[in-house]
Amino acid sequence: MSHNCESCGMPIENGRYCQHCVTEDGVLQDFDTRFERMVQWQERRGSPRAQAETETLAYMARMPAWKDHPRVLERLST
């Protein structure tokens, strides 16, 4: 049974995180690394940098792995 990665939302078969969100050791990447890669993905889809950052933080606020992270919570309080 498939479910979604708790970090990015990608469909996965097992575990909590997809192969794109973990290190070679299988540990969840740090926030800054994951945030930057997700922003870059948004930019490739055509979003300007500032918009991509805003959209990424809003998306991460819905992901179990990041919803309580200080940077996400800071964004939600502004």
Side-chain angles (χ1 to χ4, degrees):
M1 180 173 161
S2 71
H3 58 283
N4 295 335
C5 172
E6 293 182 14
S7 172
C8 72
M10 174 182 266
I12 55 177
E13 292 298 319
N14 54 47
R16 295 175 63 190
Y17 310 116
C18 72
Q19 64 185 0
H20 304 289
C21 291
V22 296
T23 65
E24 291 178 6
D25 298 328
V27 177
L28 181 64
Q29 295 170 350
D30 63 89
F31 179 87
D32 290 329
T33 299
R34 185 82 319 255
F35 176 74
E36 182 59 32
R37 290 183 179 168
M38 292 172 81
V39 167
Q40 289 173 0
W41 184 81
Q42 283 290 91
E43 288 179 306
R44 285 192 302 275
R45 294 181 63 218
S47 295
R49 178 71 189 199
Q51 180 181 342
E53 288 181 2
T54 299
E55 292 169 348
T56 299
L57 282 172
Y59 186 76
M60 291 176 93
R62 298 191 313 265
M63 296 291 99
W66 307 116
K67 66 183 174 94
D68 296 321
H69 190 277
R71 292 252 325 262
V72 173
L73 294 174
E74 177 183 309
R75 178 240 172 237
L76 293 174
S77 67
T78 58

